[in-house]
Amino acid sequence: MHKAGRLTAEALDEVVGLVRPGISTDVIDKAVFEFAMDHGAYPATLQYRGYTRSCCTSINHVVCHGIPDDKPLREGDIVNVDITLIVDGWHGDSSRMYCVGDVPRRAERLVEVTYESLMLGIRAIKAGAHLGDIGAAIQAHAEKERCSVVRDFCGHGVGRLFHDEPNVLHYGRVGEGPELKAGMIFTVEPMINLGRPHVKILSDGWTAVTRDRSLSAQFEHTVGVTETGCEVFTLSPKGWDNPAAARRG
């Protein structure tokens, strides 16, 4: 998990240098595939349940599972890139938001709130806590900032399998849900909307968008529960999983 998580983080670091106005998400997808091949890894999404790309790219009001294409990114867009690399049979799963050029302050703030929500959720993780503690921390912060938490998707167990138990909800109440135990590995990946939380799936069967076309953002880390807290496997070696640091980089 250390190797898989680290390599996935490094792949997302590579994307930082690609995202700019005029570049297509197809270019990002090809770069992710080439990075995986060059490092002895394989993109878990490629041919997964019929999905034909090496990553997901979700722009503006796309909540998740956006499919890379040849449409160029535009100044002011925000885009989530979601990568899962398989290394020696283990899955490292992570996603980040990228700002395309200068973005409106409301979009920038949504990105910040989503990252803050993720990290507050991770801070709640330790042996003896409950899954509901994670969701409660995320929901409280997002709603305090007048944003909403998407209910239709959740984090998941990960390791030898791409998607496993438990389901990790990004909303909830403190003390509810299964107890966390040392050794559990799962993703935390809140999707936060500027508008209402409701989503719909487009006709391609993958792309999820906000029903009210409000902006959406997502960050994701793969974590492991320890006795005293948790270990984050997908931290960027450069610190670029933090959007403020990525902008400085």
Side-chain angles (χ1 to χ4, degrees):
M1 287 304 298
H2 285 116
K3 290 173 64 177
R6 173 69 175 247
L7 196 64
T8 298
E10 291 175 351
L12 288 165
D13 285 351
E14 290 290 312
V15 173
V16 172
L18 296 175
V19 173
R20 61 183 183 272
I23 211 77
S24 74
T25 50
D26 256 345
V27 170
I28 295 171
D29 184 70
K30 288 182 175 65
V32 170
F33 178 78
E34 290 171 2
F35 180 91
M37 294 299 102
D38 289 345
H39 292 82
Y42 190 82
T45 57
L46 190 58
Q47 304 306 326
Y48 178 77
R49 297 182 178 177
Y51 191 81
T52 59
R53 301 306 177 106
S54 298
C55 65
C56 297
T57 52
S58 303
I59 305 168
N60 295 334
H61 71 289
V62 178
V63 176
C64 61
H65 304 155
I67 303 172
D69 59 24
D70 60 2
K71 183 179 178 180
L73 294 170
R74 299 179 299 177
E75 183 90 13
D77 285 343
I78 57 173
V79 56
N80 176 274
V81 179
D82 191 343
I83 299 175
T84 304
L85 295 184
I86 306 173
V87 181
D88 298 332
W90 295 88
H91 295 69
D93 190 357
S94 186
S95 80
R96 297 182 207 162
M97 296 301 300
Y98 300 82
C99 294
V100 184
D102 293 324
V103 304
R105 177 54 188 159
R106 63 192 181 93
E108 184 179 47
R109 183 57 186 151
L110 174 64
V111 169
E112 292 168 351
V113 168
T114 305
Y115 176 75
E116 291 161 2
S117 297
L118 167 69
M119 298 312 292
L120 286 167
I122 289 174
R123 194 180 300 171
I125 298 172
K126 64 179 179 180
H130 292 263
L131 277 174
D133 301 349
I134 303 170
I138 292 168
Q139 182 181 6
H141 184 66
E143 293 181 352
K144 182 184 73 175
E145 297 294 331
R146 299 184 178 181
C147 297
S148 63
V149 179
V150 172
R151 264 71 165 173
D152 298 66
F153 302 96
C154 61
H156 53 87
V158 68
R160 287 285 187 181
L161 297 178
F162 190 178
H163 294 98
D164 200 357
E165 294 181 348
N167 289 332
V168 182
L169 304 183
H170 303 117
Y171 60 95
R173 296 181 180 179
V174 172
E176 290 189 345
E179 182 178 336
L180 301 179
K181 298 180 180 179
M184 294 174 70
I185 301 173
F186 51 79
T187 69
V188 183
E189 48 183 295
M191 287 144 271
I192 308 296
N193 297 347
L194 269 183
R196 296 182 178 275
H198 311 299
V199 307
K200 64 179 179 180
I201 308 298
L202 299 186
S203 59
D204 60 29
W206 288 101
T207 308
V209 301
T210 55
R211 284 188 173 272
D212 59 7
R213 294 188 67 82
S214 62
L215 290 176
S216 185
Q218 180 189 21
F219 281 88
E220 175 183 14
H221 273 312
T222 297
V223 303
V225 182
T226 68
E227 292 292 350
T228 56
C230 76
E231 182 171 5
V232 181
F233 294 111
T234 45
L235 291 173
S236 162
K238 299 178 179 180
W240 288 354
D241 46 287
N242 182 322
R247 285 196 296 273
R248 290 194 299 270

